[in-house]
């Protein structure tokens, strides 16, 4: 069953997370056809900024009443 999830780790004053997003959902929202193209590391790397922008518009992390600024790494397959 396809699903997406966010794993968040708190370390002192640092919040780290790993987001796993299902390729069909991401491909649909970014108009990538066929979705399997996202399994190509070169395509995933090329789309990293678009993926981060897509998720960043939908994800907010608030800690101690302040909204955290998210920093993204390149997408991994």
């Amino acid at each position: 069953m396809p699903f997406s999830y966010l794993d968040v780790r708190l370390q002192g004053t640092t919040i780290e997370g790993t987001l796993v997003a299902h390729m069909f959902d991401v491909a649909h929202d970014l108009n990538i056809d066929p979705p399997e193209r996202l399994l190509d590391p070169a395509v995933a790397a090329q789309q990293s900024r678009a993926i981060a922008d897509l998720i960043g518009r939908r994800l907010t992390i608030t800690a101690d009443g302040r909204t955290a600024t998210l920093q993204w790494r390149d997408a991994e397959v």
Side-chain angles (χ1 to χ4, degrees):
M1 171 170 256
F3 59 91
S4 300
Y5 66 89
L6 176 63
D7 179 27
V8 177
R9 293 170 302 286
L10 305 174
Q11 300 173 346
T13 59
T14 302
I15 302 171
E16 284 191 15
T18 301
L19 176 69
V20 176
H22 195 269
M23 72 175 176
F24 289 107
D25 297 331
V26 173
H28 174 267
D29 289 356
L30 296 179
N31 297 314
I32 297 171
D33 190 40
E36 291 80 11
R37 286 184 51 220
L38 285 173
L39 294 175
D40 179 337
V43 173
Q46 178 187 19
Q47 295 295 323
S48 282
R49 184 75 250 154
I51 294 168
D53 290 344
L54 174 70
I55 302 299
R57 290 191 305 267
R58 300 173 182 186
L59 175 66
T60 302
I61 296 178
T62 304
D64 199 24
R66 295 178 296 207
T67 300
T69 301
L70 303 178
Q71 298 175 348
W72 299 92
R73 294 187 182 151
D74 286 343
E76 296 179 14
V77 176

